[in-house]
Amino acid sequence: MNILGRVAVFPTLPKRISRLYDLAYNLWWSWTPEAQALYAELDQNLWRKVNHNPVRMLAEVDPARLNTAAEDSAFLQRFDTILADFDAYMGRTDTWFQQTYPQVTGKSIAYFSAEFGLHESLPIYSGGLGILAGDHVKEASDLGLPFVGIGFLYPQGYFTQRITRDGTQEAYYEKLAFSQVAATPAVGTDGKEIEVFVDLPGRRVYAKVWKLQVGRVALYLMDTDVPNNAPSDRELSARLYGGDTELRISQELVLGVGGLRVVRALGLNPAVFHMNDSHPVFMVLERARELVQNDGLSFEVAREVVRASTLFTTHTPVPAGNEVFAYDLIDKYLSKFYDRLGLTRDQFHDLARQQMPWGSVFSMTILALRFSALHNGVSKLHGEVAQRMWHFLWPGITADEVPITYVTNGVHTPTWLAPEMRDLYTRFLQTNWRDDLDNPATWQAIDQIPDHELWATHAARKQRLMHFLRAHLRGHRERLGEGPNALQETETLGNPHALTIGFMRRFATYKRATLIFRDRERLARLLNDPLRPVQIIFGGKAHPKDQPGKDLIKEVYALSRSPEFAGKIFFLENYDMHMARHIVSGCDVWLNNPIRPHEASGTSGMKAALNGVPNCSILDGWWAEGYNRENGWAIGEEREYQDQETQNEADANDLYNVLEREIIPAFFERSADGLPHDWIRVMKAAIRTCAPRFSMARQVKEYTDRLYIPTATRNTDFTSGGYEKARGLARWKQHIAMHWHAVALTVQGPRDTQFGIGERVAVTAQLQLGALRPEDVKVELVVGRDQDWEIVETGAVELQLQSRTDGSYSYTGSIAAEHGGSLVYGVRVVPYHPDLATKYELGLVRWA
């Protein structure tokens, strides 16, 4: 059959329950367990079959069952309660944003991301980046932010993982029927369905736009599988992170340029453009082109306008993970921008030039950093790593002064908190605890939960995990064609009384999934102790082109079927959000052992802690901030190694020691009442300390207070009055660049002397400015400690202008010597303008 189209045919719902459609087309249900249970009640088996998708559920459910539900008083009572909650949620006018920023009206935030992890029935996410984006959108809805998301609705999504008999990962792609998910065609200001286009070499690529309603927030996702496109371009947005570099640059042009055109078609004029990683960065070039061609601005002024309203979040703490393109590819795909921006080829390349050992390349991260006013990492440690990584862009300052801040990630509590745990918290926390998730005071009452109640609730979740484990393993073995004995064996796999360790994440090599197998004899003794049994549940996908990652999966799977570890090690195929919810709330301890400092943040451990599952983790990413010696366990030291094998050996030994000496004894040590009170104390500490601090509510509020509102304000300043502020800043920057060579600085101050703690280091500086003025600069005294020939803990104070003589300016100032040891100081001059977004924006520094 030559299929020309596909439609979903829905039964006519009885009028009494017709609003099941309304609910299905708003992903509010995805973080509301009662709403999901309402659909599941119609047909439990079908609910599992459709992967918990209420839209498809309504299309396939037996109409007779709908008629029965419409006459079932108990079902109707639950239906009415849930719809009342939904309407109340959607109609709130007292959200956090409305109460905190009542003066901010008509200023929307456009959030661009390559992936969004919203629910397992929408497999358009690959891992942490997408889950974070999905959680961010949900929390923006909860808090009432004027927020819109832009991305792709990949018809084939990310791959379905199947593990063969020998442990090989195979990737299967199944086309997503948009008529069977909560997506509707997006409509523009003209009332017509939106279709945008992007010009690629030799052709024009079109994208249809779909709308997903996520609570109060609209998500607009593009799809290039439309009739106007050539067959190859219809596949352009088919898969997430597939194909070669040409497909990647094509996808990213559609995401950035096409995504901006979606915003325009919707009639939106966002005050903030937030780039979640560098994938959508071509959006800034399209915005600059609009300003140059439509508003007649020079490129320099256009860049200031774009920068003023743009925020960039970097997620990758290793150089190899930051995408670069060769110049021939840039010429092929972006050469039309050269003339349209008024730039030469070399000037355009210079916008993102990065020098590599083999030559220079066009860096997407550098382009993002240079076209955004504010930049952030996703944990404190990652912020510091990013400062060191990109220090070369600001060569005149110390690494800790590089203008990259951080906002530590969080997780969306309603999505990841198990219903049983939520009900337990509701009984013991304050009445409105779900409206105050990021307040530490909300969670202090965790200590008031009786130990037996918390333990019983966790035991129930663990039992559910064992049922899930057995069903999953049986399904896998059935697919592999294993015999009746192997299938029967699954009924007894998974010990609900064993210490259960969870390790589920993307199988990238830096995450070291097999670290715990480094000493197999030692591990075998731990797992096979009949008095203190231990089991480990693994899961995760490797990128289809990551052979080393796939090899790790094969190794773990082989060990799970080996005689020494069978029944103690489990690998569950096709890790997704549904599996994650079971594991993070049902295991006993969450294991994470990446190579420090390669984990930018990591959020799975936050989800575990929220559910009372303590972490055992390398002090990397978020755990470097979260660990307090009472709420879990740390592996290794807060240091970096030169030799990878040395680090692996040290970390593995420490992991075994922590398991043998601390974790296993604490779990199995029971009091007369049969409860592990010491363990429960750690569980409570994990909840109390991590639930508020690593909630998405805290994260989105922090983005709003520290980044969104300042950016929106800056955007207003730079676009008002005919872009006069942008024009003035661009002129000033050109003036500074032209005359900076004439700046000279000499200093009189102490040399090779001794100070007591508290005494002041005083200096006098003589400054030559040439054509510049004192108002154009700041002169600073910088002091740091010399620790093994590395300057740490620097501090700076501004020197004050004292006198002017024949074009020379005299400055004086002092700073206290606050630490013992070797103290070093220097004096520098930096450009200053009140409209600069950050202190060292220009990267120009002249040291004495």
Side-chain angles (χ1 to χ4, degrees), residues 419-430:
E420 297 90 340
M421 296 298 291
R422 181 202 61 186
D423 293 345
L424 181 67
Y425 296 167
T426 299
R427 289 171 52 205
F428 290 95
L429 302 186
Q430 62 196 36

Side-chain angles (χ1 to χ4, degrees), residues 25 27 53 113-125 149-158 174-186 206-214 219-226 233-241 251 254-255 259 262:
Y25 277 89
L27 273 91
N53 175 357
S113 181
E115 52 177 302
F116 289 91
L118 298 163
H119 188 259
E120 59 267 17
S121 62
L122 277 167
I124 56 173
Y125 60 92
I150 305 291
F152 278 127
L153 187 59
Y154 304 94
Q156 297 177 31
Y158 203 49
E174 300 173 4
K175 187 158 184 176
L176 191 66
F178 295 160
S179 59
Q180 295 182 348
V181 296
T184 57
Y206 295 86
K208 180 180 175 64
V209 183
W210 297 85
K211 178 183 178 182
L212 271 69
Q213 194 67 39
V214 186
L219 194 56
Y220 295 94
L221 305 178
M222 293 173 286
D223 169 34
T224 63
D225 187 10
V226 296
D233 288 329
R234 295 186 72 157
E235 292 283 316
L236 193 148
S237 67
R239 299 177 180 178
L240 177 63
Y241 303 144
Q251 284 185 328
V254 174
L255 176 59
V262 172

Side-chain angles (χ1 to χ4, degrees), residues 676-694:
H677 291 286
D678 287 345
W679 184 271
I680 295 170
R681 191 176 302 114
V682 179
M683 292 175 66
K684 289 182 176 180
I687 299 166
R688 187 181 63 253
T689 59
C690 298
R693 187 174 177 187
F694 300 103

